[in-house]
Amino acid sequence: MKTFCGRANPTTGSMEWLEEGEDYDYHQEIARSRYADMLHDKDRNVKYYQGIRAAVSRVKERGEKAIVLDIGTGTGLLSMMAASAGADFCYAIEVFKPMANAAVKIVEKNGFSDKIKVINKHSTEVTVGPDGDMQCRANILVTELFDTELIGEGALPTYEHAHKYLVQEGCEAVPHRATVYVQLVESKRMWSWKKLFPVHVEAEDGEKILVPPSEMENCPGVPSVCDIQLNQMPSSDFSTLSDVVTMFSVDFSKPVQSASTYYRVQLEPVKSGKAQIVLSWWDIDMDPSGMINCTMAPYWVKPTSALQWRDHWMQCVYFLPNDEPVLQGEKLYLTACRDEYSVWYSLQKAREGEHKADEEEHKADVCVESPVCRCRAHLLWNRPRFGELNDQNRTRQYIKSLRKVLKTDSVCLCISDGSLLPVLAHYLGAKQVQYFILFFKANHLEDKIKIIEARPELLKPSHLEDKKISVLVGEPFFTTSLLPWHNLYFWYARTAVSPHLASNVSVLPHSASLHMMVVEFQDLWKIRSPCGICEGFDVQTMDDMIKDSLNFRESKEAEPHPLWEYPCKSLSDPQEVLTFDFTKTVPQHSLSSEGSVNLLRKGKSHGAVLWMEYHLAADISVSTGLMQMSNEKGNCEWNPHCKQAVYFFSSVIESEILSDPTSVTYAINFDTKTGEIAMDFKL
Ligand code: SAH
């Protein structure tokens, strides 16, 4: 069997379909999966074990046999917990074949083969009866099918089906219930991920303000969940307008309905402000008493000492359709609508002198449709990109640099996706530029800025009205880029348009550089590190599977992570490892760099972080990675809008103990034919 995988080609900026062997998909799935992170989640594991023990005891106390149904068994962990707790038999269901195979091996290795039957099916395909997958219905239902939004992985339809066909009435469920909490906040930072703020440009002839079109202003955005490590959001970046309130709960021991519905709660703001964002998280009670609770609550809600780091469950940021001023003590209703897989929110003001009976009337006002982008900007720009375009400091750097190169008769070509640079360039004096219709209409620029619908290599003199380009600009930013250096597509495009450039062309940025630093992560290492023994169960088979998948390609790859969400400490100084000269064309030969970096601080060398810096003018550069570093402790501040490249050293993946190395040697190679960077490190 052959698989075709979509991948952006950094030399052409477009998607290509590559033929891959049948193993490829599977290795990607395993290598990038969250199984390792879940096995490292001590808090989750301990509480599941406690909940399972309690459920098995309750069933035994009733004098019944304990028959367990574990839906989505993964490594088989929860079934092994149940078997150890005294369950008579477990049916462990797993839809993903490689995982089901791993579960069989792990169960056998731990000596539970006679108590646990692994079934490689989706739970809705499982049959019950003398000739079925299960001999009889189960009286204990154990699952871990939750994502950050709780229901995004299909927990509701799975539970609905299980209660109808696979478990007995009155069964015990672990977890017993889940509760979703919300808090209303005002946050310019988070709001900047959804709305485009006006851009102020100081031009020769006075201040110009770039305004987003009304269509964009009123657009509800996109329904996809915004999940982040909320614990990394400093309290100065938002202001809470309400207490934490319970939005809804689901009792997993009773029949569950997955059909679309909504929930409403009354809110009284504790402070006046602009209601913009609903922050949300959930907790699960492993037993009916609520004594065994596993919560995703952020730092300001619970003591920091009780925080468990995890990446498989984070917190959600929901954007209200519009920001609305609210007054302290005012009566508000917050509505959560949900379908089978997602949740969205809206806010209603209670009317003057409203009675309970009137509430029924409100139902008609309640938003029922999931948000769908009408302005197209939310499809073009993802949330970090909105944040980046709204970053005034960044915009200022571009304006300052553009001002240095633009003249009134400049013919300017901009190569970047969904960029505001053409508009800035126009306001700063350029005669002719390109891109993004919607925005231009709102700012009456359709005739000033021309969109060229041609790939750079197909650019013809007629596109430019037979003029030569005097200023070539790019942020650069391309939506298909995954790793920082993929934006070097700008260099390839610059090479392709060479025949159209004036001899004295200004290229902005004129160059870029790749930077590297060795770090110790506070927690991120856990997503790639073997677990060994988990709550007394040997899960090494899983570790080996992950390791195999990570090493599937001859050379390991760097992976993109937004490091503002994942704190780390620098162990070395940042080092410039490669430079790219945009005033020249892409060379035929590859660019490489070798050397060593000294480790200045004590710590575990988990990996290298790599990022790009763009040099806009002699004294103006923008970094897509490190913004600041404190010298004594090595704490780092990262660009909050970009993902950086993380290369985990094999010591993390192999879990080797190293005696404190004092330096790391590196070999980095930029293959100009493929646009990819290969790297190797030795400690
Ligand atoms: N129970 C394990 C793994 C949880 S991850 C643990 O707690 O460590 C969830 C697993 O459930 C994934 O492996 C996924 O493939 C599987 N899964 C999700 N929905 C399923 C369904 N309806 N039927 C069978 N497997 C399912």
Side-chain angles (χ1 to χ4, degrees), residues 35 38-39 44-45 48 70-78 93-96 99 121-124 143-145 153-154 158:
Y35 292 109
M38 291 187 306
L39 295 174
R44 176 197 90 119
N45 300 338
Y48 260 100
D70 170 11
I71 303 181
T73 200
T75 53
L77 179 69
L78 305 183
I93 321 295
E94 175 54 55
V95 65
F96 183 38
M99 274 316 302
K121 277 189 176 180
H122 191 269
S123 61
T124 54
T143 65
E144 202 272 62
L145 301 167
E153 275 171 18
T158 293

Side-chain angles (χ1 to χ4, degrees), residues 193-196 215-216 219-222 373-382 386:
W193 299 344
K194 187 204 179 195
K195 290 273 160 161
L196 191 67
E215 215 179 335
M216 198 189 281
C219 182
V222 281
C373 171
R374 293 185 297 252
C375 74
R376 303 204 314 263
H378 297 92
L379 305 176
L380 177 69
W381 296 329
N382 62 15
F386 262 92

Side-chain angles (χ1 to χ4, degrees), residues 311-322:
D311 205 39
H312 61 116
W313 293 330
M314 298 182 265
Q315 293 79 25
C316 296
V317 177
Y318 293 97
F319 304 87
L320 288 171
N322 282 298

